[in-house]
Amino acid sequence: MLEYNGVQIKWHGHDTLTLTKDDITVCFDPYQIDKKFHADVILISHNHFDHLSIVDLEKITDKKTVIIAAKECLEQIKLPCKKLIGIAPNEKIEIDGFKINAIRAYNTDKINPDTKRPFHPKEDNKVGFVITINNTRFYHTGDSDLIPEMTDIKPDVLFVPVSGTYVMTPDDAAKAVKEIKPKLAIPMHYGSIVGTINDAKAFKKLVTTSEVHILSKE
């Protein structure tokens, strides 16, 4: 766990992170959750099984939970919750005083050899999220390469994938940090489907423009 500007940051493996402020918890892309907890807000970036996991949603969702998901996810989510909201790139919403912006997420050079198309095509409208908590901007890129839409965001904290194959490599992610210019960068998307702690360590060595913190899994 890391505390940043009064917000607790926890990494639960892969792309799953939680932000907690004043007993309100926001969770990104719950997947392979080991311990049940209550999430006040859940943000789902896209419809792949390791980001939209109904089994894991059930562990942290109740009738007080607001789920905000890329619109391609909505038909699969049938859980009882306070509200289910679909969101598209460039749309904004405010929940529990938190400002949430959806940022486009897609591949530029990670191509599926079977379909000959990107693993995360731009036209699918998959997203990442910028959420402002306690006057601090947290940017979770979702599954993406370095894309032009990222460069003007200016987050305080960046959660960036480093495993390669489907998302940025450590080298790609280091270039993204140089372009995005966060104060703090935290690597994700490793240790589960693809990638290891060595990718996170390689990323940290490559970054010279921002602080990097490798979180331990909760």
Side-chain angles (χ1 to χ4, degrees), residues 59 67 135 160 179:
K59 295 177 183 178
I67 301 175
N135 294 316
V160 62
E179 291 288 331

Side-chain angles (χ1 to χ4, degrees), residues 1-4 7-21 24-31 33 35-43 60 98 131 133 138 140 157 159 186 188 215-216 218:
M1 190 271 286
L2 173 69
E3 186 164 316
Y4 189 90
V7 179
Q8 290 185 352
I9 306 171
K10 294 181 180 180
W11 180 61
H12 301 263
H14 200 50
D15 270 15
T16 307
L17 291 119
T18 54
L19 305 175
T20 301
K21 169 67 177 171
I24 296 176
T25 295
V26 178
C27 182
F28 298 93
D29 286 354
Y31 177 65
I33 296 289
K35 300 176 183 178
K36 292 184 178 182
F37 59 86
H38 165 71
D40 297 277
V41 179
I42 300 174
L43 304 176
I60 63 173
F98 301 154
I131 181 169
I133 304 175
F138 298 88
H140 186 292
V157 180
F159 304 118
I186 295 175
M188 63 177 185
L215 292 173
S216 298
E218 293 293 321

